């Protein structure tokens, strides 16, 4: 429980935080960005010999965007006395406003693409060089398709078993309307699995360390915090959170070169958006130039082209690079306190010093056990610019 004296001392901050929490409930982007007709459009795309550009349909909007914008910008931030904390909340309002614009323009072609650029940016030349560097390495010895495969129900059992190491409770749901093999819905404390997906044993390890070991760990750590902003997300938290999640794969010993190349393909695919490629063009690039399996190429292309051009996926690789370099000299525990970002670490520490944030209750166990023994991956990560 939050001490009453603390609330009274920072009454304006808690009022603004509570207001933003009420407003942000409807704007979880992942609820809106995943198409409802993936499987039927995939069949059409494959039947057309990869020439047809899919026509995806999306969930209907459940909020009034204009009203939300107005309420976000009506917050009296000048009442927050501390400059760093006030700046954090100002940045947060700009971030949330950008997400509203993203959701409002899903399936509006270039409008969504430009809003996505504003919220998630685009790969730098260095990011593209790093992606191409990774793609030079040969991963042909590791073929997940040749390994035993598990259906979604079997995966559910695996994740439930894995979760016993953490004492939080969450729901697992199966769905055909997600582009990823698995994803966490933060507001609902739910892990969603793609119902028709076949999981390899290593992919189960990857996803459990990624989705449960980081995304659910930060979800439940955020619920322990006095301020709701830790649950709703700091600016640029995607890069840090995905970096932490892939770093958990690395430290648990299940990150493979194939998986690292997948992150590189995402950077290349987002770059293809900037170059004006259509869905079919990006797919063709992945299959014919990079010799990627057609099903995997479809998933990566879908992730990037959904909504009208979604640039978020380029953040995984630079996020991993940042966290890998950060972890050489720093403890990662403060980055697990919620949906936070490296750029605001100073503010997180200030919040903790003032009793407005608490240390992480749950710690990603892969960071503590450190099973990473792959010298080739270590060489690659050290070599990234």
């Amino acid at each position: 429980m939050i001490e009453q004296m603390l609330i009274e001392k920072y009454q304006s901050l808690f009022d603004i935080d509570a207001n933003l929490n009420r407003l942000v409930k409807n704007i979880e982007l992942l609820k809106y960005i995943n198409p409802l007709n993936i499987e039927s459009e995939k069949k059409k795309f494959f039947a057309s010999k990869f020439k047809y550009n899919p026509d995806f349909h999306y969930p209907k909007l459940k909020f009034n965007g204009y009203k939300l914008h107005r309420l976000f910008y009506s917050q009296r931030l000048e009442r927050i006395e501390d400059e760093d904390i006030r700046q954090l909340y100002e940045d947060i309002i700009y971030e949330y406003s950008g997400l509203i614009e993203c959701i409002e323009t899903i399936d509006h072609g270039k409008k969504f693409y430009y809003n996505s650029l504003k919220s998630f940016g685009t790969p730098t030349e260095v990011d593209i060089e790093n992606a191409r560097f990774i793609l030079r390495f040969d991963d042909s010895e590791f073929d997940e398709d040749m390994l035993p495969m598990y259906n979604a129900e079997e995966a559910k059992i695996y994740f439930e078993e894995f979760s016993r190491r953490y004492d939080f409770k969450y729901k697992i749901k199966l769905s055909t309307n997600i582009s990823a093999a698995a994803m966490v819905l933060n507001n609902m404390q739910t892990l969603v699995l793609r119902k028709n997906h076949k999981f390899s044993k290593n992919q189960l390890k990857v996803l459990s360390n990624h989705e449960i070991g980081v995304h659910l760990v930060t979800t439940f750590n955020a619920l322990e915090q006095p301020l709701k902003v830790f649950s709703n997300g700091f600016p640029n938290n995607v890069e840090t959170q995905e970096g932490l999640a892939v770093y958990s794969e690395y430290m648990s010993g299940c990150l493979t070169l194939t998986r690292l190349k997948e992150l590189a393909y995402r950077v290349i695919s987002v770059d293809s958006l900037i170059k004006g490629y259509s869905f079919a063009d990006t797919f063709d690039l992945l299959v014919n130039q990079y010799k990627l399996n057609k099903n995997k190429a479809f998933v990566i292309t879908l992730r990037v082209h959904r909504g009208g051009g979604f640039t978020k996926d380029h953040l995984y690789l630079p996020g991993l690079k940042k966290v890998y370099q950060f972890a050489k000299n720093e403890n990662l525990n403060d980055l697990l306190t919620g949906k936070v970002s490296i750029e605001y670490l100073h503010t997180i520490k200030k919040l903790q010093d003032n009793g407005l944030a608490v240390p992480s209750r749950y710690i990603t166990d892969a960071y503590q056990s450190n099973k990473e023994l792959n010298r080739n991956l270590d060489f690659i990560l050290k070599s990234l610019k």
Side-chain angles (χ1 to χ4, degrees), residues 67-80:
K67 185 178 179 181
L68 270 182
H69 281 296
R70 189 180 66 194
L71 291 170
F72 272 124
Y73 285 109
S74 70
Q75 302 305 309
R76 302 290 296 275
L77 297 188
E78 67 275 8
R79 294 180 176 176
I80 300 175

Side-chain angles (χ1 to χ4, degrees), residues 28-39 55-60 102-103 106-107 112 173 175-185 192-194 299 302-308 310 312-313 316:
E28 184 151 8
L29 181 56
L30 292 180
K31 285 172 59 178
Y32 292 100
I33 192 62
N34 288 304
L36 300 171
N37 58 336
I38 294 173
E39 289 307 311
D55 179 20
F56 294 116
H57 300 151
Y58 299 88
K60 290 182 179 179
C102 277
I103 296 170
I106 286 173
D107 206 22
F112 174 77
K173 174 184 170 185
S175 172
T176 56
N177 297 325
I178 62 171
S179 54
M183 71 177 206
V184 166
L185 289 177
V192 186
L193 308 180
R194 194 158 85 230
V299 170
L302 165 63
R303 288 175 62 98
V304 169
H305 280 271
R306 56 187 162 161
F310 193 32
K312 169 181 171 278
D313 267 9
Y316 287 67

Side-chain angles (χ1 to χ4, degrees), residues 81 132 163 176 217 244 249 261 276 279 313 315 322 380:
E81 293 180 6
R132 288 174 177 158
S163 300
T176 56
V217 159
L244 289 167
E249 300 172 28
K261 290 177 83 168
F279 188 102
D313 267 9
L315 291 170
K322 275 190 181 180
I380 292 171

